[in-house]
mmCIF file of all heavy atoms in Angstrom:
data_model
loop_
_atom_site.group_PDB
_atom_site.id
_atom_site.type_symbol
_atom_site.label_atom_id
_atom_site.label_comp_id
_atom_site.label_asym_id
_atom_site.label_seq_id
_atom_site.Cartn_x
_atom_site.Cartn_y
_atom_site.Cartn_z
ATOM 1 N N ALA A 1 9.209 4.165 6.094
ATOM 2 C CA ALA A 1 10.033 4.805 5.064
ATOM 3 C C ALA A 1 11.508 4.579 5.334
ATOM 4 O O ALA A 1 12.303 4.356 4.403
ATOM 5 C CB ALA A 1 9.725 6.301 4.997
ATOM 6 N N TYR A 2 11.911 4.642 6.609
ATOM 7 C CA TYR A 2 13.328 4.421 6.929
ATOM 8 C C TYR A 2 13.739 2.996 6.583
ATOM 9 O O TYR A 2 14.800 2.770 5.967
ATOM 10 C CB TYR A 2 13.591 4.699 8.408
ATOM 11 C CG TYR A 2 15.067 4.778 8.743
ATOM 12 C CD1 TYR A 2 15.727 5.994 8.740
ATOM 13 C CD2 TYR A 2 15.809 3.630 9.019
ATOM 14 C CE1 TYR A 2 17.088 6.084 9.019
ATOM 15 C CE2 TYR A 2 17.166 3.701 9.303
ATOM 16 C CZ TYR A 2 17.795 4.933 9.299
ATOM 17 O OH TYR A 2 19.151 5.003 9.556
ATOM 18 N N VAL A 3 12.941 2.028 6.959
ATOM 19 C CA VAL A 3 13.275 0.638 6.659
ATOM 20 C C VAL A 3 13.322 0.405 5.153
ATOM 21 O O VAL A 3 14.240 -0.242 4.635
ATOM 22 C CB VAL A 3 12.267 -0.313 7.331
ATOM 23 C CG1 VAL A 3 12.462 -1.744 6.840
ATOM 24 C CG2 VAL A 3 12.417 -0.259 8.845
ATOM 25 N N ALA A 4 12.339 0.952 4.441
ATOM 26 C CA ALA A 4 12.290 0.743 2.994
ATOM 27 C C ALA A 4 13.521 1.306 2.302
ATOM 28 O O ALA A 4 14.098 0.669 1.411
ATOM 29 C CB ALA A 4 11.022 1.371 2.417
ATOM 30 N N THR A 5 13.939 2.498 2.715
ATOM 31 C CA THR A 5 14.998 3.186 1.979
ATOM 32 C C THR A 5 16.396 2.891 2.512
ATOM 33 O O THR A 5 17.337 2.719 1.741
ATOM 34 C CB THR A 5 14.751 4.704 2.019
ATOM 35 O OG1 THR A 5 14.645 5.140 3.376
ATOM 36 C CG2 THR A 5 13.462 5.054 1.273
ATOM 37 N N ARG A 6 16.556 2.841 3.824
ATOM 38 C CA ARG A 6 17.888 2.665 4.406
ATOM 39 C C ARG A 6 18.233 1.198 4.672
ATOM 40 O O ARG A 6 19.401 0.822 4.578
ATOM 41 C CB ARG A 6 18.001 3.427 5.729
ATOM 42 C CG ARG A 6 18.406 4.890 5.589
ATOM 43 C CD ARG A 6 17.366 5.721 4.928
ATOM 44 N NE ARG A 6 17.692 7.148 4.960
ATOM 45 C CZ ARG A 6 17.055 8.042 4.250
ATOM 46 N NH1 ARG A 6 16.055 7.689 3.440
ATOM 47 N NH2 ARG A 6 17.396 9.316 4.308
ATOM 48 N N VAL A 7 17.249 0.395 5.014
ATOM 49 C CA VAL A 7 17.507 -0.990 5.390
ATOM 50 C C VAL A 7 17.282 -1.931 4.220
ATOM 51 O O VAL A 7 18.142 -2.744 3.875
ATOM 52 C CB VAL A 7 16.632 -1.384 6.595
ATOM 53 C CG1 VAL A 7 16.768 -2.873 6.910
ATOM 54 C CG2 VAL A 7 17.007 -0.539 7.819
ATOM 55 N N ALA A 8 16.113 -1.811 3.584
ATOM 56 C CA ALA A 8 15.820 -2.674 2.436
ATOM 57 C C ALA A 8 16.483 -2.179 1.158
ATOM 58 O O ALA A 8 16.579 -2.925 0.179
ATOM 59 C CB ALA A 8 14.309 -2.783 2.244
ATOM 60 N N GLY A 9 16.913 -0.935 1.161
ATOM 61 C CA GLY A 9 17.661 -0.411 0.011
ATOM 62 C C GLY A 9 16.819 -0.083 -1.199
ATOM 63 O O GLY A 9 17.317 -0.085 -2.329
ATOM 64 N N ASP A 10 15.534 0.234 -0.985
ATOM 65 C CA ASP A 10 14.638 0.551 -2.097
ATOM 66 C C ASP A 10 14.770 2.025 -2.445
ATOM 67 O O ASP A 10 13.871 2.819 -2.229
ATOM 68 C CB ASP A 10 13.205 0.191 -1.704
ATOM 69 C CG ASP A 10 12.221 0.389 -2.859
ATOM 70 O OD1 ASP A 10 12.684 0.459 -4.009
ATOM 71 O OD2 ASP A 10 11.003 0.469 -2.580
ATOM 72 N N ARG A 11 15.935 2.369 -2.990
ATOM 73 C CA ARG A 11 16.191 3.774 -3.310
ATOM 74 C C ARG A 11 17.435 3.891 -4.169
ATOM 75 O O ARG A 11 18.222 2.940 -4.324
ATOM 76 C CB ARG A 11 16.398 4.584 -2.030
ATOM 77 C CG ARG A 11 17.584 4.117 -1.187
ATOM 78 C CD ARG A 11 17.973 5.134 -0.130
ATOM 79 N NE ARG A 11 18.379 6.395 -0.751
ATOM 80 C CZ ARG A 11 18.173 7.577 -0.201
ATOM 81 N NH1 ARG A 11 17.574 7.684 0.958
ATOM 82 N NH2 ARG A 11 18.571 8.683 -0.818
ATOM 83 N N GLY A 12 17.623 5.084 -4.723
ATOM 84 C CA GLY A 12 18.855 5.384 -5.440
ATOM 85 C C GLY A 12 19.909 5.908 -4.477
ATOM 86 O O GLY A 12 19.837 5.697 -3.270
ATOM 87 N N GLN A 13 20.866 6.635 -5.019
ATOM 88 C CA GLN A 13 22.009 7.078 -4.227
ATOM 89 C C GLN A 13 21.944 8.539 -3.815
ATOM 90 O O GLN A 13 22.838 9.025 -3.125
ATOM 91 C CB GLN A 13 23.301 6.837 -5.019
ATOM 92 C CG GLN A 13 23.568 5.364 -5.316
ATOM 93 C CD GLN A 13 23.763 4.559 -4.050
ATOM 94 O OE1 GLN A 13 24.539 4.932 -3.177
ATOM 95 N NE2 GLN A 13 23.054 3.436 -3.941
ATOM 96 N N ILE A 14 20.912 9.272 -4.228
ATOM 97 C CA ILE A 14 20.837 10.691 -3.907
ATOM 98 C C ILE A 14 19.504 11.005 -3.246
ATOM 99 O O ILE A 14 18.551 10.218 -3.310
ATOM 100 C CB ILE A 14 21.032 11.571 -5.161
ATOM 101 C CG1 ILE A 14 20.007 11.217 -6.246
ATOM 102 C CG2 ILE A 14 22.447 11.437 -5.702
ATOM 103 C CD1 ILE A 14 20.086 12.104 -7.469
ATOM 104 N N ALA A 15 19.410 12.155 -2.622
ATOM 105 C CA ALA A 15 18.206 12.529 -1.882
ATOM 106 C C ALA A 15 16.993 12.571 -2.796
ATOM 107 O O ALA A 15 17.042 13.134 -3.890
ATOM 108 C CB ALA A 15 18.407 13.890 -1.220
ATOM 109 N N GLY A 16 15.907 11.993 -2.351
ATOM 110 C CA GLY A 16 14.665 12.001 -3.107
ATOM 111 C C GLY A 16 14.537 10.895 -4.121
ATOM 112 O O GLY A 16 13.472 10.731 -4.717
ATOM 113 N N ALA A 17 15.609 10.135 -4.331
ATOM 114 C CA ALA A 17 15.569 9.034 -5.307
ATOM 115 C C ALA A 17 15.009 7.796 -4.619
ATOM 116 O O ALA A 17 15.738 6.871 -4.249
ATOM 117 C CB ALA A 17 16.968 8.767 -5.859
ATOM 118 N N MET A 18 13.698 7.808 -4.413
ATOM 119 C CA MET A 18 13.052 6.712 -3.697
ATOM 120 C C MET A 18 11.598 6.629 -4.105
ATOM 121 O O MET A 18 11.049 7.537 -4.751
ATOM 122 C CB MET A 18 13.163 6.926 -2.184
ATOM 123 C CG MET A 18 12.473 8.176 -1.674
ATOM 124 S SD MET A 18 12.670 8.366 0.111
ATOM 125 C CE MET A 18 11.559 9.747 0.415
ATOM 126 N N GLY A 19 10.940 5.540 -3.718
ATOM 127 C CA GLY A 19 9.537 5.339 -4.042
ATOM 128 C C GLY A 19 8.630 6.174 -3.156
ATOM 129 O O GLY A 19 9.069 7.023 -2.378
ATOM 130 N N ALA A 20 7.340 5.904 -3.258
ATOM 131 C CA ALA A 20 6.345 6.693 -2.546
ATOM 132 C C ALA A 20 6.460 6.506 -1.035
ATOM 133 O O ALA A 20 6.632 5.389 -0.538
ATOM 134 C CB ALA A 20 4.949 6.296 -3.009
ATOM 135 N N VAL A 21 6.408 7.605 -0.304
ATOM 136 C CA VAL A 21 6.339 7.609 1.149
ATOM 137 C C VAL A 21 5.288 8.633 1.553
ATOM 138 O O VAL A 21 4.828 9.436 0.738
ATOM 139 C CB VAL A 21 7.702 7.964 1.796
ATOM 140 C CG1 VAL A 21 8.759 6.938 1.447
ATOM 141 C CG2 VAL A 21 8.156 9.364 1.378
ATOM 142 N N ASN A 22 4.902 8.616 2.793
ATOM 143 C CA ASN A 22 3.907 9.569 3.291
ATOM 144 C C ASN A 22 4.613 10.876 3.627
ATOM 145 O O ASN A 22 4.967 11.137 4.775
ATOM 146 C CB ASN A 22 3.199 8.997 4.516
ATOM 147 C CG ASN A 22 1.981 9.826 4.922
ATOM 148 O OD1 ASN A 22 1.875 11.002 4.578
ATOM 149 N ND2 ASN A 22 1.080 9.213 5.661
ATOM 150 N N THR A 23 4.815 11.694 2.612
ATOM 151 C CA THR A 23 5.611 12.917 2.797
ATOM 152 C C THR A 23 4.961 13.876 3.781
ATOM 153 O O THR A 23 5.652 14.493 4.601
ATOM 154 C CB THR A 23 5.833 13.635 1.453
ATOM 155 O OG1 THR A 23 4.565 13.885 0.839
ATOM 156 C CG2 THR A 23 6.688 12.793 0.522
ATOM 157 N N ASP A 24 3.638 14.018 3.736
ATOM 158 C CA ASP A 24 2.978 14.960 4.646
ATOM 159 C C ASP A 24 3.192 14.556 6.099
ATOM 160 O O ASP A 24 3.490 15.407 6.953
ATOM 161 C CB ASP A 24 1.479 15.029 4.334
ATOM 162 C CG ASP A 24 1.178 15.725 3.015
ATOM 163 O OD1 ASP A 24 2.082 16.430 2.503
ATOM 164 O OD2 ASP A 24 0.070 15.559 2.490
ATOM 165 N N ALA A 25 3.046 13.271 6.387
ATOM 166 C CA ALA A 25 3.206 12.807 7.768
ATOM 167 C C ALA A 25 4.639 12.968 8.237
ATOM 168 O O ALA A 25 4.898 13.355 9.383
ATOM 169 C CB ALA A 25 2.766 11.356 7.879
ATOM 170 N N ILE A 26 5.600 12.681 7.372
ATOM 171 C CA ILE A 26 7.011 12.802 7.748
ATOM 172 C C ILE A 26 7.378 14.258 7.992
ATOM 173 O O ILE A 26 7.998 14.599 9.005
ATOM 174 C CB ILE A 26 7.906 12.183 6.659
ATOM 175 C CG1 ILE A 26 7.685 10.669 6.589
ATOM 176 C CG2 ILE A 26 9.377 12.498 6.927
ATOM 177 C CD1 ILE A 26 8.339 10.012 5.396
ATOM 178 N N LEU A 27 6.981 15.147 7.083
ATOM 179 C CA LEU A 27 7.365 16.549 7.208
ATOM 180 C C LEU A 27 6.622 17.253 8.339
ATOM 181 O O LEU A 27 7.132 18.235 8.891
ATOM 182 C CB LEU A 27 7.122 17.277 5.879
ATOM 183 C CG LEU A 27 8.039 16.851 4.733
ATOM 184 C CD1 LEU A 27 7.662 17.566 3.443
ATOM 185 C CD2 LEU A 27 9.498 17.129 5.083
ATOM 186 N N SER A 28 5.449 16.756 8.709
ATOM 187 C CA SER A 28 4.719 17.393 9.809
ATOM 188 C C SER A 28 5.500 17.289 11.115
ATOM 189 O O SER A 28 5.358 18.128 12.004
ATOM 190 C CB SER A 28 3.344 16.745 9.972
ATOM 191 O OG SER A 28 3.460 15.413 10.461
ATOM 192 N N ARG A 29 6.345 16.271 11.246
ATOM 193 C CA ARG A 29 7.115 16.087 12.473
ATOM 194 C C ARG A 29 8.312 17.031 12.553
ATOM 195 O O ARG A 29 8.911 17.190 13.622
ATOM 196 C CB ARG A 29 7.567 14.631 12.586
ATOM 197 C CG ARG A 29 6.395 13.697 12.795
ATOM 198 C CD ARG A 29 6.812 12.254 12.799
ATOM 199 N NE ARG A 29 7.746 11.910 13.862
ATOM 200 C CZ ARG A 29 7.428 11.748 15.146
ATOM 201 N NH1 ARG A 29 6.177 11.925 15.547
ATOM 202 N NH2 ARG A 29 8.342 11.405 16.034
ATOM 203 N N LEU A 30 8.639 17.648 11.436
ATOM 204 C CA LEU A 30 9.731 18.615 11.441
ATOM 205 C C LEU A 30 9.342 19.868 12.204
ATOM 206 O O LEU A 30 10.199 20.577 12.752
ATOM 207 C CB LEU A 30 10.125 18.950 10.005
ATOM 208 C CG LEU A 30 11.388 19.765 9.774
ATOM 209 C CD1 LEU A 30 12.597 19.077 10.369
ATOM 210 C CD2 LEU A 30 11.585 19.989 8.277
ATOM 211 N N GLY A 31 8.043 20.165 12.224
ATOM 212 C CA GLY A 31 7.562 21.291 13.016
ATOM 213 C C GLY A 31 7.948 22.638 12.467
ATOM 214 O O GLY A 31 7.980 23.627 13.197
#
């Protein structure tokens, strides 16, 4: 997800403006 959105630029300019990512897996690490 980081590479897709921050490196490859597959996103808009504001939070959440991006394609599908594994939200459950990412948020589970927030604890």
Side-chain angles (χ1 to χ4, degrees):
Y2 192 93
V3 171
T5 56
R6 274 67 172 168
V7 174
D10 185 18
R11 61 166 299 147
Q13 297 297 310
I14 56 176
M18 62 181 188
V21 298
N22 191 338
T23 55
D24 289 343
I26 294 170
L27 292 176
S28 69
R29 293 175 61 76
L30 190 58

